[in-house]
C-alpha cells in the first residue's frame, strides 16, 4: 500500500502537469497613448484596429489621444487618411505613443477616373470648389449590395489634403450601420451608444435592396492658404462584428476650382488721416547748463558793474534765474561759482582775494533767488589763483613767443614757489605795460555755472540725435515727427518698426507701416491683428488689414472686417472685392463685371454661367492670363481642342502659369491629355 505522503506527492505532480498543459490566456488591458505626425502634431480621427481580429476598437480625439481595450499580447493597427498604416505589438504595455508617416506618394497612385469603375466600392470623382476660405466637396459612393449587409458597418471618411504643406483636414465622416449591426452595437455597449467613438455619425440603414446602393456626400471645411495644392482623399471601410471586410483609400479630386485666383484689383494701403489718432507732443526732462563770467579790478573784491561786460552778464544771469524759477516745468538743480585771482602779488594774499570775490559774487546772486529755491539747490564754490603758466598760454596765443619763453624760464627755475616766480616775472622788461595791461585782467574773474532740469519739447536735431543713440527714450510723438521727416519708405519703415518695439500699442505707427508694406508688395497679415479689438480704430487700420488678409488668402476674415468700412471710395472697392473672394458672387457680380471684361469672365465662371463665360472669353485679348482663362472657359463647355490650344499659348507666353495649372481643378484634365499626347 502507498503511504499517504507518496500519494500526496503523486497528486501534486499530477496537478502541476495539468497546469503545465493548460493553454495560457493573456488578459485584456486598457492601452492609452497619443498619435502624432512627424512634426509632433496630434492627429485627429485616427482609426485604431485590433490587428488580430481587424475590428475597429477606437478613434483618436482632437488631442490625438486614444484609449482602447485589447489583449495584452495583441497587436494594434493605426490607420488614417494620408498616412502609412502602422502595426504595433502591445506586449503588455499600458501606454503606446505612435508617430505616423505621411503616405502622399502612395495615395497619388490610387486615382479614380470616371471611365474606370471596377473596384468593389468606388467614390465618384468630383471637384474641390472654393468659396473664400471654404472648400466644398460633393460626391457619391457606390456601394455594391453584396458588401452592404445588415450585419455590417460602412465608414466613409473624406479629407482635404494640403499637398504643399503635407497637412490633412478631416471632413465629417459618414457611418452606416445595418439593422442587425446596430442592434448588436447597442447590446455590446449596454445601450450606452456614447461609448461608440463613431456614434454621433451613425445612420441605421435598411439594406434589403437587391441593387447597388449610392451614398451621397456633401460637406465643406475652412482652410488656410487656399492657393496651395490640394486634393480630396476618401477612405472607405466596412466591418462586421469580428473583422474589417474591406478598406481602401481613393483620391477623388485633385486641384481646386477657383477662377477668381486671377481676379484683377488694386487697393492701395492708406496712412492714418484722422488727426485724433496722432500722438500728442510730450515734454522731455533735460538738463541744461549756462555760464556767466564777471571781471574784477586789481586788488578789489567788490564787483564793479561798469567794468567791461559785467552789467550785461549779470542781467543775463538774473534773467535766466528768474526764467527757471517761474517755469513750472523747470527746476534749478545746482549753482556753482568759481572765483579766480591773477598770480600778480603774494600767492596767499591772492587766494584770499579770490575767496572774497567769490563770496561777494555769491551773495549778489543768491539775493536774486527766493528762499524756496535757495533751500532746494546744491551750491558749490571754488577759489583759485591762476598760475603764471596761464600767462604763457595767453602770450603764445597772441604770437608773443619770445615773451612767453622768458616767463616759462622763470617758472622752470622756481617750479614749486609761486612767490619767487612773481618777483622774477615782475623784473622782466616787458612786464609793464604788456602783462599788467593786457593779460592779468583776463585772469581776475568770477564765473558761474547753472545746471537746471527742464521739461521741454525737443528740437528736430535733438530728436534725430536721440534716435541714433538712445531711441528708447523717444516719445510716440517724437517717433511720429521723425517718421514725417523721413525721406524714403525704407527710412519710414525702420522708424515705425523701432517705434513699435518701444511702444507695442503704437496704433498709428502700425497702421502706417502696414500701408508701407502694402505699397512695397509685402503685406503683413498679422501686423494689425492685435489692434482690431480696440474700441476705436481709424478706417485706415481696418482697410489695410482687409488688403493684407486678402493677399494672404484669408477671405472670410477680410470680408467680415470689410463690412465695418464706410461704403465709399477705396473702402467700397475693398468691400466688394472681399465679398467676391469670399464667395458672395451674386451680390457684387454687376459692379466687378463692369470694371473690366476680364473680371466679368471670371465672375461668370465663378457662378458657373459657363456658356456665357465662354462667349465673353472669346472676346478677350491674347495676354498669357487671358489665354489661360479662355482655356478654362472652353474646357467648362467641353471645347477641349480649343482649351488645349489656349492653354498651350498661355504657357508659351508665361511658363509660370504651368505651376498654377498643376493645382487648378479646371485644367488638370487638360494637362493629363497634353502629357498623353
Amino acid at each position: 500500500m502507498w503511504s499517504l505522503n507518496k500519494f500526496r506527492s503523486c497528486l501534486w505532480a499530477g496537478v502541476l502537469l495539468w497546469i503545465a498543459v493548460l493553454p495560457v490566456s493573456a488578459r485584456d488591458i486598457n492601452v492609452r497613448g497619443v498619435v502624432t505626425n512627424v512634426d509632433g502634431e496630434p492627429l485627429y480621427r485616427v482609426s485604431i484596429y485590433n490587428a488580430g481580429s481587424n475590428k475597429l476598437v477606437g478613434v483618436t480625439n482632437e488631442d490625438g489621444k486614444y484609449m482602447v481595450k485589447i489583449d495584452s499580447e495583441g497587436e494594434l493597427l493605426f490607420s488614417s487618411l494620408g498616412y502609412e498604416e502602422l502595426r504595433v505589438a502591445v506586449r503588455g504595455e499600458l501606454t503606446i505613443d505612435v508617430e505616423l508617416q505621411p503616405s502622399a506618394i502612395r495615395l497619388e497612385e490610387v486615382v479614380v477616373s470616371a471611365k474606370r469603375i471596377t473596384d468593389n466600392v468606388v467614390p465618384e470623382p468630383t471637384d474641390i470648389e472654393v468659396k473664400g476660405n471654404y472648400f466644398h466637396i460633393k460626391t457619391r459612393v457606390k456601394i455594391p449590395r453584396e458588401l452592404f449587409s445588415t450585419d455590417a458597418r460602412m465608414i466613409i471618411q473624406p479629407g482635404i489634403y494640403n499637398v504643399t504643406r503635407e497637412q490633412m483636414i478631416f471632413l465629417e465622416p459618414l457611418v452606416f450601420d445595418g439593422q442587425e449591426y446596430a442592434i448588436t452595437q447597442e447590446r455590446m455597449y449596454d445601450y450606452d451608444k456614447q461609448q461608440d467613438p463613431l456614434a454621433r455619425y451613425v445612420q441605421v440603414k435598411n439594406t434589403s435592396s437587391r441593387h447597388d446602393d449610392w451614398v451621397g456626400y456633401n460637406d465643406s471645411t475652412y482652410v488656410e492658404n487656399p492657393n496651395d495644392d490640394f486634393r480630396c482623399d476618401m477612405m472607405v471601410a466596412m466591418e462586421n462584428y469580428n473583422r474589417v471586410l474591406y478598406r481602401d483609400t481613393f483620391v477623388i479630386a485633385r486641384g481646386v476650382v477657383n477662377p477668381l485666383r486671377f481676379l484683377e484689383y488694386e487697393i492701395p494701403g492708406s496712412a492714418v488721416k484722422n488727426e485724433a489718432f496722432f500722438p500728442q507732443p510730450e515734454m522731455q526732462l533735460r538738463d541744461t547748463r549756462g555760464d556767466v563770467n564777471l571781471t574784477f579790478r586789481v586788488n578789489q573784491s567788490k564787483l564793479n558793474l561798469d567794468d567791461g561786460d559785467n552789467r550785461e552778464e549779470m542781467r543775463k544771469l538774473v534773467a535766466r534765474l528768474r526764467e527757471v524759477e517761474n517755469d513750472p516745468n523747470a527746476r534749478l538743480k545746482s549753482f556753482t561759482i568759481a572765483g579766480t585771482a591773477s598770480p600778480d602779488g603774494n600767492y596767499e594774499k591772492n587766494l584770499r582775494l579770490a575767496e572774497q570775490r567769490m563770496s561777494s559774487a555769491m551773495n549778489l546772486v543768491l539775493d536774486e533767488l527766493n528762499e524756496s529755491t535757495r533751500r532746494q539747490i546744491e551750491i558749490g564754490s571754488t577759489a583759485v589763483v591762476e598760475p603764471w603758466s596761464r600767462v604763457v598760454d595767453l602770450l603764445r596765443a597772441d604770437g608773443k613767443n619770445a615773451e612767453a619763453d622768458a616767463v616759462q624760464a622763470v617758472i622752470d627755475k622756481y617750479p614749486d614757489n609761486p612767490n619767487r616766480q612773481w618777483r622774477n616775472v615782475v623784473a622782466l622788461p616787458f612786464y609793464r605795460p604788456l602783462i599788467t595791461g593786457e593779460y592779468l585782467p583776463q585772469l581776475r574773474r568770477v564765473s558761474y555755472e547753472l545746471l537746471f532740469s527742464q521739461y521741454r519739447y525737443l528740437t528736430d536735431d535733438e530728436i534725430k540725435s536721440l534716435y541714433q543713440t538712445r531711441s528708447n527714450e523717444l516719445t510716440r510723438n517724437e517717433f511720429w515727427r521723425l517718421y514725417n521727416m523721413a525721406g524714403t519708405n525704407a527710412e519710414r519703415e525702420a522708424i515705425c518698426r523701432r517705434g513699435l518695439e518701444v511702444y507695442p500699442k503704437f496704433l498709428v505707427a502700425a497702421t502706417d507701416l502696414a500701408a508701407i508694406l502694402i505699397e512695397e508688395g509685402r503685406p503683413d497679415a498679422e501686423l494689425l491683428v492685435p489692434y482690431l479689438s480696440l474700441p476705436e480704430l481709424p478706417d485706415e487700420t481696418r482697410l489695410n488689414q482687409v488688403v493684407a488678409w486678402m493677399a494672404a488668402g484669408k477671405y472670410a476674415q477680410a470680408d467680415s472686417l470689410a463690412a465695418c468700412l464706410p461704403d465709399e471710395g477705396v473702402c467700397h472697392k475693398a468691400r466688394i472685392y472681399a465679398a467676391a473672394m469670399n464667395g458672395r458672387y451674386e451680390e457684387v457680380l454687376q459692379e466687378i463685371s463692369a470694371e473690366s471684361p476680364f473680371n466679368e469672365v471670371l465672375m461668370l465662371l465663378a457662378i458657373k454661367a459657363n456658356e456665357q463665360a465662354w462667349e465673353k472669353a472669346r472676346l478677350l485679348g491674347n495676354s498669357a492670363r487671358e489665354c489661360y482663362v479662355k482655356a478654362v472657359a472652353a474646357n467648362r463647355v467641353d471645347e477641349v481642342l480649343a482649351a488645349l490650344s489656349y492653354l498651350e499659348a498661355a504657357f508659351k507666353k508665361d511658363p509660370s502659369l504651368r505651376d498654377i495649372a498643376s493645382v487648378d481643378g479646371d485644367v488638370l484634365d487638360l494637362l493629363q491629355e497634353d502629357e498623353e499626347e
Side-chain angles (χ1 to χ4, degrees), residues 31-48 59-68 76 78 86 88 94-100:
V31 178
R32 295 170 172 82
V34 179
V35 183
T36 60
N37 60 17
V38 292
D39 296 321
E41 299 167 334
L43 294 179
Y44 179 38
R45 289 186 190 157
V46 175
S47 298
I48 306 167
V59 179
T60 59
N61 64 14
E62 291 85 350
D63 300 319
K65 296 180 180 180
Y66 71 91
M67 193 278 285
V68 297
L76 293 174
F78 297 86
L86 180 65
V88 180
L94 297 178
T95 302
I96 298 178
D97 296 334
V98 299
E99 179 184 284
L100 298 187

Side-chain angles (χ1 to χ4, degrees), residues 547-671:
V547 175
W549 267 339
M550 290 176 68
K554 297 187 175 184
Y555 304 121
Q557 294 98 317
D559 189 20
S560 177
L561 185 60
C564 301
L565 293 173
D567 198 14
E568 58 187 17
V570 68
C571 291
H572 174 74
K573 188 170 185 178
R575 287 170 61 120
I576 64 171
Y577 277 96
M581 298 303 288
N582 195 35
R584 296 194 291 122
Y585 309 136
E586 289 78 6
E587 299 175 36
V588 294
L589 174 65
Q590 296 301 324
E591 275 193 89
I592 293 180
S593 296
E595 294 217 339
S596 73
F598 185 73
N599 280 358
E600 181 181 14
V601 172
L602 296 178
M603 293 300 294
L604 290 171
L605 290 171
I607 64 173
K608 296 186 178 180
N610 296 329
E611 295 290 346
Q612 192 176 354
W614 171 229
E615 291 178 10
K616 299 280 186 179
R618 284 183 288 184
L619 302 177
L620 294 176
N622 294 308
S623 69
R625 288 196 168 196
E626 287 171 315
C627 287
Y628 187 101
V629 171
K630 287 180 182 180
V632 171
N635 200 36
R636 289 272 189 100
V637 295
D638 295 327
E639 295 284 350
V640 179
L641 293 179
L644 284 168
S645 176
Y646 284 129
L647 194 62
E648 183 180 355
F651 291 162
K652 285 182 179 180
K653 294 174 186 290
D654 184 358
S656 68
L657 288 173
R658 188 176 290 275
D659 293 332
I660 295 177
S662 68
V663 298
D664 187 349
D666 263 320
V667 297
L668 276 174
D669 58 334
L670 297 178
L671 289 181

Side-chain angles (χ1 to χ4, degrees), residues 180 222 329 350 444 481 490 493 570 605 608 675-676:
E180 291 182 19
Y222 179 88
N329 296 310
N350 286 340
R444 303 181 191 108
R481 286 168 60 186
E493 179 179 344
V570 68
L605 290 171
K608 296 186 178 180
E675 290 172 359
E676 291 173 1

